[in-house]
């Protein structure tokens, strides 16, 4: 099984490196799609640390990444994500902290483990990064610093050997820009996720994100992942991605990331006894 895991990871890397380049102009900012769908975890706080590589035609990006999330109560969860990108361009480079991404979900209907059901989802982008780090952070030329606010619905369904998730959201952009090399306007997003369990503690994941801006911009992003759980607390996930769309809409050419996540136990023994067994706990994103 370890040979299968290594083969899939190597194939993903080779496939991404062979992708076609993307122009500098883009429609919208970078979203952390590899962590868009989070696995429910009733055991406490989940900390993720990783590294991200993006290939573009006029710039290459290497970024350290951190994610932290957990359950606020039995029905709701929250997750924070931030990058520290180093952006290399011909003759110069920029680095610093990106904008802060915050997502939350509240169960409307479903099981007590939050694995299957209907959820109210919200997503926020807090503009704290420098404008030099576009598209990871951005400042509108019209002045003012306002967050992005999005909301919608998320559906989760688990079967014997696979899991399906889907979201539909609409985001109101605070830092609007309708001209220049980066267009940033309100947009709607439809996302679908599918995960298959393999033998042992390995799973395969794939997701697609269809983004339509309030102008004419449209693009699709594809993420493919391999997840390996080493124990109930420690897991690793390798993700690769491709951005599609017209030449003036794509953000990046290819994406490759690796994350390690660690689940901290709940604060008391009563909570730990209520945790689902490992076979019922999906690997974290």
């Amino acid at each position: 099984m370890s040979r299968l895991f290594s083969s899939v990871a190597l194939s993903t890397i080779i496939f991404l490196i062979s992708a076609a380049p993307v122009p500098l102009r883009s429609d919208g900012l970078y979203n952390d799609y590899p962590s868009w769908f989070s696995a429910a975890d009733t055991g406490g706080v989940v900390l993720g640390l990783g590294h991200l590589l993006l290939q573009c035609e006029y710039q290459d990006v290497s970024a350290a990444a951190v994610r932290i999330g957990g359950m606020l109560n039995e029905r709701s969860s929250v997750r924070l994500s931030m990058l520290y990108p180093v952006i290399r361009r011909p003759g110069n480079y920029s680095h610093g902290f990106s904008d802060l991404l915050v997502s939350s979900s509240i169960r409307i209907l479903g099981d007590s483990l939050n694995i299957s059901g209907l959820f109210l989802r919200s997503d926020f982008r807090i503009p704290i990064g420098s404008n030099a780090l576009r598209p990871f952070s951005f400042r509108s030329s019209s002045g003012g610093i306002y967050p992005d606010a999005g909301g919608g619905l998320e559906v989760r369904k688990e079967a014997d050997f696979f899991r399906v998730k889907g979201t539909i959201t609409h985001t109101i952009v605070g830092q609007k820009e309708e001209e220049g090399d980066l267009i940033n306007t309100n947009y709607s997003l439809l996302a679908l996720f599918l995960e298959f369990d393999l033998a042992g503690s390995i799973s395969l994941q794939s997701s697609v994100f269809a983004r339509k801006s309030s102008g004419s911009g449209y693009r699709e992003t594809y993420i493919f992942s391999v997840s390996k759980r080493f124990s109930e607390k420690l897991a690793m996930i390798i993700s690769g991605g491709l951005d599609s769309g017209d030449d003036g809409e794509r953000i990046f050419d290819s994406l490759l990331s690796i994350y390690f996540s660690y689940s901290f136990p709940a604060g008391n023994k009563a909570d730990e006894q209520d945790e689902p067994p490992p076979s019922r706990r999906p690997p974290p994103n």
Side-chain angles (χ1 to χ4, degrees), residues 19 30 57-58 63 99 102 121 136 157 169 222 244-245:
Y30 175 81
E57 183 177 1
Y58 296 101
D99 292 341
V102 182
R121 180 184 176 115
F136 302 96
K157 177 63 178 179
T169 59
Y222 304 91
S244 68

Side-chain angles (χ1 to χ4, degrees), residues 230-246:
F230 299 103
S231 67
E232 292 185 32
K233 297 180 180 180
L234 180 63
M236 176 183 70
I237 183 168
I238 299 175
S239 300
L242 296 173
D243 208 7
S244 68
D246 294 338

Side-chain angles (χ1 to χ4, degrees), residues 37-180:
F37 292 100
S38 64
D41 193 313
T42 59
V45 175
V46 179
L47 174 64
L49 298 175
H51 191 259
L52 175 74
L53 296 173
L54 284 93
Q55 293 183 344
C56 307
E57 183 177 1
Y58 296 101
Q59 61 184 26
D60 292 319
V61 180
S62 175
V66 59
R67 303 169 183 162
I68 185 170
M71 303 297 297
L72 298 177
N73 51 54
E74 64 177 9
R75 303 181 68 90
S76 60
S77 65
V78 65
R79 186 175 72 261
L80 291 78
S81 175
M82 179 177 281
L83 300 176
Y84 189 95
V86 178
I87 304 174
R88 296 178 178 85
R89 307 179 182 91
N92 67 82
Y93 71 95
S94 303
H95 65 93
F97 286 105
S98 68
D99 292 341
L100 175 64
L101 304 179
V102 182
S103 299
S104 65
S105 63
I106 301 175
R107 187 179 78 242
I108 302 173
L109 300 170
D111 61 69
S112 60
L113 297 179
N114 298 309
I115 295 177
S116 297
L118 178 65
F119 298 80
L120 180 64
R121 180 184 176 115
S122 60
D123 299 283
F124 299 92
R125 185 185 200 101
I126 312 301
I128 61 176
S130 168
N131 191 47
L133 299 176
R134 61 172 68 186
F136 302 96
S137 59
F138 185 64
R139 293 289 182 270
S140 173
S141 61
S142 60
I145 301 176
Y146 306 100
D148 298 355
L153 295 175
E154 179 170 335
V155 178
R156 306 173 189 171
K157 177 63 178 179
E158 182 182 38
D160 291 337
F161 301 103
F162 65 92
R163 283 168 287 276
V164 180
K165 301 177 184 178
T167 65
I168 180 169
T169 59
H170 182 74
T171 298
I172 299 176
V173 171
Q175 303 293 306
K176 288 186 173 64
E177 193 70 51
E178 298 182 355
E179 298 180 353

Side-chain angles (χ1 to χ4, degrees), residues 177-254:
E177 193 70 51
E178 298 182 355
E179 298 180 353
D181 61 355
L182 192 153
I183 306 300
N184 197 35
T185 58
N186 299 346
Y187 64 92
S188 297
L189 183 71
L190 175 64
L192 297 174
F193 170 92
L194 182 62
E195 179 178 33
F196 289 96
D197 293 328
L198 300 181
S201 56
I202 297 177
S203 66
L204 300 179
Q205 305 167 355
S206 63
S207 53
V208 58
F209 302 84
R211 182 186 186 278
K212 178 68 172 67
S213 70
S214 58
S216 58
Y218 174 82
R219 72 172 185 272
E220 296 175 357
T221 302
Y222 304 91
I223 304 293
F224 307 94
S225 304
V226 182
S227 177
K228 165 69 175 178
R229 180 173 288 279
F230 299 103
S231 67
E232 292 185 32
K233 297 180 180 180
L234 180 63
M236 176 183 70
I237 183 168
I238 299 175
S239 300
L242 296 173
D243 208 7
S244 68
D246 294 338
D247 289 346
E249 297 168 349
R250 295 180 303 215
I251 288 181
F252 60 86
D253 169 7
S254 63

